[in-house]
């Protein structure tokens, strides 16, 4: 699958968003070669942050240009501060703090997209800021580390 | 612009991928979402109702070839446009979604 997905990403002419499998061992050069940006999701607990922490040097070694952290399921300011501190210590730029959002739970329960369930949900607002940020930082027609 | 989302199991990769995809599409951009997880559920998170399933892109769309230097690499055996039109599903806001196949360890990577 890695090479199939990698080849599709590399040949795609559209804005492309790839939902990856959890284990970072699968982050082979074949899959992520043409990716401009890797968003690493961190929950505010140790094993989740450690997984993210291991991903960053691997992604750098693969030549991915933009690597950003996204904190998710934060339940308190302390949660946010814990993820921020981890990212600072691991040289990972944190670009979003998404709270634990009941809209996600409710949307999942009814099998809907959260953006259809409630367009004003905190996760939608935070990811809108992420979209603004990415559109500023990355060329829309860019084509990853191995591209051009 | 090509973005990948990674993170520990259950951290919210699929929810974030789907929501970001829909937001980018609402900005008027053509967006292709790819489910690279062997247990695909991106389709539902994008808002295609329960029960909708995509035919996974088969391995036969890539082929291993050796270049002049004898280096093996994978190339598409058909055009990206054909793959998208044959296997892509249309999701809300004009999003197209493709589902990768399960991991085949032989020769992968
Ligand atoms: N911000 C949030 N607030 C509340 N619940 C959330 C949030 N983000 C994700 N979830 C919930 O966490 C669970 C896992 O989310 P999701 O499926 O997006 O994660 P994943 O990383 O893709 O998981 P997997 O590794 O199994 O593919 C789901 O039940 C989802 O509803
Ligand atoms: Mg998932």
């Amino acid at each position: 699958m890695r090479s199939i997905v990698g080849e599709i990403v590399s040949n795609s002419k559209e804005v492309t968003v790839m939902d990856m499998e959890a284990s970072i061992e699968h982050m082979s050069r074949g899959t992520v070669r043409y990716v401009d940006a890797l968003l690493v999701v961190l929950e505010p607990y140790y094993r989740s942050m450690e997984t993210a922490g291991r991903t960053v040097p691997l992604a750098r070694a693969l030549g991915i240009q933009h690597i950003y952290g996204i904190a998710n399921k934060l339940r308190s300011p302390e949660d946010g501060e814990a993820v921020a501190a981890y990212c600072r210590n691991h040289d990972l730029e944190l670009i979003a703090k998404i709270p634990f959002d009941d809209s996600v739970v409710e949307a999942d329960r009814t099998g809907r997209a959260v953006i259809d369930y409630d367009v004003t949900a905190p996760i939608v607002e935070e990811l809108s800021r992420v979209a603004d940020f990415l559109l500023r930082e990355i060329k829309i027609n860019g084509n990853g580390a191995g591209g051009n | 612009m090509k973005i990948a989302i990674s993170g520990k199991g259950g951290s919210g990769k699929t929810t974030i991928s789907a929501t970001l995809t829909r937001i980018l599409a609402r900005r008027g951009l053509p967006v292709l979402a790819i489910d690279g997880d062997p247990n695909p559920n991106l389709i539902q998170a994008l808002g295609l109702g329960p029960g909708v399933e995509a035919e996974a892109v088969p391995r036969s769309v890539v082929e291993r070839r050796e270049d002049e230097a004898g280096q093996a690499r994978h190339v598409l055996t058909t055009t990206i446009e054909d793959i998208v039109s044959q296997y892509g599903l249309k999701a809300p806001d004009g999003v197209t979604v493709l589902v990768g196949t399960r991991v085949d360890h032989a020769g992968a990577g």
Side-chain angles (χ1 to χ4, degrees):
Chain A
M1 172 168 79
R2 303 168 216 176
S3 52
I4 297 175
V5 172
E7 287 308 309
I8 290 170
V9 172
S10 82
N11 284 278
S12 162
K13 292 165 192 79
E14 298 160 62
V15 171
T16 305
V17 179
M18 174 166 61
D19 181 13
M20 292 175 62
E21 49 187 310
S23 52
I24 51 171
E25 304 80 66
H26 289 117
M27 212 177 61
S28 65
R29 186 154 173 79
T31 307
V32 294
R33 184 167 31 169
Y34 296 99
V35 161
D36 304 290
L38 180 70
L39 307 183
V40 186
V41 184
L42 304 94
E43 283 185 79
Y45 69 95
Y46 183 75
R47 277 177 299 120
S48 177
M49 295 192 286
E50 274 296 294
T51 299
R54 285 200 308 274
T55 304
V56 174
L58 199 60
R60 292 236 160 82
L62 290 169
I64 298 175
Q65 288 182 352
H66 304 271
I67 305 167
Y68 304 116
I70 295 194
N72 192 28
K73 304 194 213 178
L74 304 177
R75 291 176 187 269
S76 67
E78 291 74 27
D79 276 355
E81 193 35 54
V83 177
Y86 188 90
C87 288
R88 272 196 304 277
N89 292 334
H90 290 78
D91 199 18
L92 178 61
E93 185 181 354
L94 184 65
I95 61 167
K97 288 182 174 178
I98 303 172
F100 187 92
D101 188 342
D102 287 323
S103 306
V104 176
V105 180
E106 285 300 315
D108 264 7
R109 206 196 321 275
T110 52
R112 298 169 70 186
V114 64
I115 197 170
D116 293 327
Y117 176 80
D118 180 7
V119 75
T120 68
I123 189 172
V124 178
E125 296 195 341
E126 192 65 7
L127 288 174
S128 295
R129 282 190 283 274
V130 169
D132 293 336
F133 175 86
L134 294 174
L135 291 169
R136 272 199 311 274
E137 296 292 314
I138 303 167
K139 287 202 303 280
I140 289 181
N141 295 318
N143 197 11
N148 312 318
Chain B
M1 179 160 82
K2 300 177 182 186
I3 306 162
I5 290 94
S6 81
K8 193 169 167 54
S11 60
K13 297 179 293 293
T14 300
T15 305
I16 290 169
S17 299
T19 307
L20 186 60
T21 295
R22 293 281 305 273
I23 290 168
L24 289 167
R26 287 187 178 191
R27 305 280 167 94
L29 297 166
V31 190
L32 177 66
I34 301 176
D35 196 336
D37 193 308
N39 301 307
N41 58 357
L42 184 63
I43 289 176
Q44 268 65 46
L46 279 167
L48 284 168
V52 177
E53 276 185 39
E55 188 184 345
V57 181
R59 269 205 84 76
S60 57
V61 305
V62 294
E63 188 175 271
R64 233 176 129 88
R65 287 210 193 123
E66 286 191 3
D67 62 20
E68 314 81 65
Q71 280 276 48
R73 57 158 301 170
H74 291 91
V75 291
L76 292 183
T77 54
T78 175
T79 64
I80 186 73
E81 288 80 9
D82 281 348
I83 294 172
V84 168
S85 68
Q86 190 168 356
Y87 302 102
L89 281 186
K90 276 291 170 200
D93 296 326
V95 168
T96 306
V97 53
L98 283 177
V99 175
T101 50
R102 290 179 169 276
V103 176
D104 175 4
H105 287 282

